Amino acid sequence: MSAGSARGSQIMDRLAEAFQHRTRAGARLRRWRLHAFTDTWSVLLGQILVASFLVCILTGAFLTFFYDPSIARVIYDGPFDSLRGVEISRAYESTLEIAFEVRGGFLMRQLHRWSANLMIAALMMLILRVFFTAQFRWPRTGTWLVLFGALFAGMGAGLTGAVLPDDLLAGSSLAVLDGLLKSVPVLGATLSTLVFQGNFPGGAIATLYPVHAFVLPGILLLLGLWALASAIAGRDRADAGRATGGHNRAARVTPAVRRLGVYSFVVGGLILVSATVTVSPVWDHGPADPGNTSAGAGALWYLAFLDGAQKLIPPGWEFVWLGRTWALALLVPLAVSGAFLLAAMLYPFLERWITGVRTAHHRPTRPRNAPNRTAIGVAGVTFYGALWAAAGIDTLALTFGVAFEVLVWALRAVLLLGPVVGFVLTRRICIALQRKDRELVLHGHETGKVVRSSTGEYVEVRTPLDAYERWRLVDYEIIEPLTIEPDANGRLRWRDRLRMALSRWYYRDQIQPVTPAELRAAQERDAITLALTSDL
């Protein structure tokens, strides 16, 4: 064989290998794009989250070109007449320039704030959906932690972004932040100096601006990429038909087409709201002033539970020890709120320790089929809701004409008793719904008709369930309480006894699903009923 022929053969071999590789990659891409997605509304929460995050990132990048984080004092000479001639900071002046002088700046600022609010709202709803459907279990525990990491980063981004305009509302927030930092024992003064750089309150802008503009968005982007990579790798996505034994009602449509429609709807809705509803009118608040505070100022809605926790603490919770004042009125609310969020984040590990279940779970669980877990979730939501409502207790008192002290005591009662009542009621409702499902599987839907057969027997006519509906009601997991064997000396450690006791409590009063024998008997009764009624 000549040298030219050999070279040509090598080139053809490389082309064939490259073509085969691209074919395999294309096949994998097509399989991923044509993946079966459960056709439920809750799946859209993740897509709303992504769309609002992209809008927030793009609008934030636009705003960075015009915002100046400097606290240098200038005399305002812009188009807003009410502030002309007033000494303000350069940060506040650049914010006014974005709103009144930059083409499209006001809309971009509005889009930035509304998209951030929608992103955190969608993230909270997604966390609730994941919890109540038990999608936090292995192998999706990492995704659960990613969601909470994104929630904390989003809250931090909202807090740091709220103080950047350097208006009177931002100054009030910085005064509260300074008080919280200084209330920390031993390290309080040091923390305040690090954040404010020794220049209260404007010094915090130079510290928080890079955190808001670069650090926290980078963390959110990395967390999103991690979740996307895990989904592509198959750890967070199981084939719906395979997981449900072929009974899944899924839309086998190219995901990009559906997501494009959702993204367009979300972006269009954000533009419409941003163009018609004003948020954070900094020109009405005026510049920040350490000696003044804005009337009616409140915390951001997703951080309001911290403010509410402080309002429900009784007065006089402080004492002097080791030559320092310990302000429990500030430390206890922060500790309780932090413990609540930490317990929610670590709940998958606690449930796994109690139940001892370490197998993989890919299918979502109906909330009614896990009464205690659902009841715990409702109790947590009630606790958070009481703190959140307490943040606006002064507005509620003014609106409804109720004494402030009465509302404080009422919300304290809700905070302590509400979770207990919510737990008990939710658990009983879930068990009742399970019994109803069992009745439907065995006897079908009631039609309200009673007929008399040719033999003189009165028979209630019921409509049997179809195969999918019957499977959906009977196919759920029943887990037996944990049993731990004693050690070689016949003793059990105290934590093993505690673990078994919690497991028995967690799985008590389970409603057993319909057995195959009961299902066959029900189908035979349906056949007999159909034969009797067909003679009429």
Side-chain angles (χ1 to χ4, degrees):
M1 181 181 295
S2 63
S5 300
R7 190 179 301 109
S9 178
Q10 292 176 359
I11 293 175
M12 292 301 296
D13 291 341
R14 291 177 182 176
L15 288 175
E17 183 179 354
F19 178 77
Q20 185 179 7
H21 177 73
R22 290 191 61 183
T23 303
R24 290 197 299 267
R28 287 196 297 268
L29 180 61
R30 286 192 297 272
R31 285 196 300 270
W32 177 69
R33 292 175 68 245
L34 295 176
H35 197 86
F37 285 84
T38 305
D39 192 12
T40 59
W41 64 268
S42 59
V43 177
L44 300 178
L45 292 173
Q47 299 175 14
I48 295 174
L49 171 62
V50 173
S52 56
F53 173 71
L54 292 177
V55 173
C56 190
I57 288 293
L58 293 177
T59 54
F62 175 87
L63 295 176
T64 56
F65 289 102
F66 304 98
Y67 176 76
D68 186 355
S70 173
I71 59 173
R73 310 303 294 179
V74 297
I75 301 298
Y76 181 71
D77 190 24
F80 191 66
D81 296 336
S82 300
L83 291 175
R84 189 173 293 135
V86 177
E87 184 182 40
I88 59 177
S89 67
R90 175 58 191 149
Y92 187 49
E93 183 185 40
S94 64
T95 304
L96 295 176
E97 290 175 353
I98 292 173
F100 297 118
E101 301 180 48
V102 175
R103 187 180 298 273
F106 179 73
L107 179 61
M108 288 297 173
R109 185 174 180 272
Q110 292 279 104
L111 271 173
H112 189 66
R113 292 297 298 266
W114 280 115
S115 60
N117 288 326
L118 179 61
M119 179 186 70
I120 296 180
L123 186 56
M124 288 182 173
M125 293 298 296
L126 185 59
I127 289 175
L128 291 178
R129 180 248 178 189
V130 170
F131 178 85
F132 285 111
T133 58
Q135 289 291 282
F136 56 79
R137 295 180 294 183
W138 190 85
R140 294 176 176 83
T141 306
T143 303
W144 174 260
L145 298 179
V146 166
L147 290 176
F148 267 91
L151 178 62
F152 297 150
M155 288 181 173
L159 176 62
T160 54
V163 303
L164 294 184
D166 200 30
D167 60 333
L168 190 59
L169 186 60
S172 302
S173 300
L174 289 176
V176 174
L177 177 63
D178 183 54
L180 290 176
L181 292 175
K182 289 181 177 178
S183 68
V184 177
V186 182
L187 300 177
T190 304
L191 293 176
S192 178
T193 302
L194 290 175
V195 173
F196 291 92
Q197 300 183 11
N199 185 11
F200 176 84
I205 294 179
T207 304
L208 300 179
Y209 174 70
V211 176
H212 174 78
F214 304 105
V215 177
L216 294 176
I219 293 175
L220 287 170
L221 185 60
L222 290 177
L223 292 175
L225 291 176
W226 187 94
L228 178 62
S230 63
I232 295 176
R235 288 187 294 162
D236 278 345
R237 187 183 296 166
D239 184 82
R242 186 170 63 247
T244 60
H247 290 88
N248 181 66
R249 290 182 176 176
R252 204 165 181 80
V253 184
T254 304
V257 176
R258 302 185 62 189
R259 290 175 182 175
L260 181 61
V262 176
Y263 294 162
S264 300
F265 181 81
V266 173
V267 174
L270 285 173
I271 293 176
L272 178 62
V273 173
S274 301
T276 55
V277 182
T278 302
V279 61
S280 183
V282 295
W283 50 89
D284 286 344
H285 302 151
D289 185 356
N292 294 317
T293 185
S294 57
L300 298 170
W301 67 268
Y302 42 84
L303 294 174
F305 69 99
L306 295 173
D307 191 22
Q310 296 176 18
K311 290 184 177 181
L312 294 183
I313 288 293
W317 278 34
E318 60 183 31
F319 62 92
V320 178
W321 184 49
L322 299 178
R324 301 179 183 274
T325 300
W326 299 72
L328 297 182
L330 294 175
L331 296 178
V332 171
L334 292 178
V336 171
S337 302
F340 171 75
L341 294 175
L342 183 63
M345 185 174 64
L346 299 180
Y347 178 83
F349 302 97
L350 178 62
E351 181 179 293
R352 187 177 180 182
W353 179 76
I354 292 175
T355 62
V357 178
R358 301 182 181 275
T359 56
H361 296 82
H362 296 291
R363 287 179 295 172
T365 299
R366 300 179 76 202
R368 67 182 62 182
N369 292 334
N372 280 321
R373 181 194 299 128
T374 303
I376 290 173
V378 172
V381 171
T382 305
F383 182 84
Y384 175 87
L387 295 180
W388 188 77
I393 198 169
D394 47 354
T395 304
L396 293 175
L398 181 63
T399 302
F400 296 101
V402 182
F404 183 88
E405 293 78 7
V406 173
L407 284 179
V408 168
W409 281 103
L411 286 176
R412 285 174 182 171
V414 172
L415 182 68
L416 297 177
L417 302 179
V420 178
V421 175
F423 178 90
V424 174
L425 290 179
T426 303
R427 185 174 175 278
R428 292 179 65 88
I429 291 173
C430 288
I431 293 176
L433 290 175
Q434 282 184 295
R435 289 173 177 158
K436 178 183 177 182
D437 290 344
R438 184 180 177 87
E439 177 72 15
L440 285 175
V441 171
L442 293 177
H443 303 287
H445 294 287
E446 294 182 359
T447 62
K449 297 180 181 179
V450 177
V451 298
R452 184 178 181 182
S453 66
S454 57
T455 60
E457 180 183 2
Y458 288 93
V459 180
E460 180 184 9
V461 179
R462 293 205 175 202
T463 304
L465 278 63
D466 59 33
Y468 170 77
E469 189 176 7
R470 182 182 293 112
W471 165 84
R472 186 174 63 89
L473 297 182
V474 302
D475 188 73
Y476 61 90
E477 184 181 21
I478 289 293
I479 302 176
E480 297 297 330
L482 183 66
T483 301
I484 300 177
E485 298 295 333
D487 58 14
N489 298 323
R491 292 179 296 182
L492 282 174
R493 294 174 296 182
W494 66 269
R495 64 172 176 268
D496 292 333
R497 294 193 184 94
L498 174 63
R499 190 178 176 189
M500 288 193 296
L502 290 174
S503 179
R504 286 194 298 269
W505 170 82
Y506 196 83
Y507 290 119
R508 65 174 181 160
D509 299 333
Q510 293 184 98
I511 303 299
Q512 297 296 325
V514 177
T515 62
E518 291 175 323
L519 188 57
R520 285 194 298 270
Q523 292 173 342
E524 292 175 359
R525 286 197 304 269
D526 293 339
I528 295 174
T529 302
L530 181 61
L532 291 174
T533 56
S534 61
D535 297 336
L536 301 178

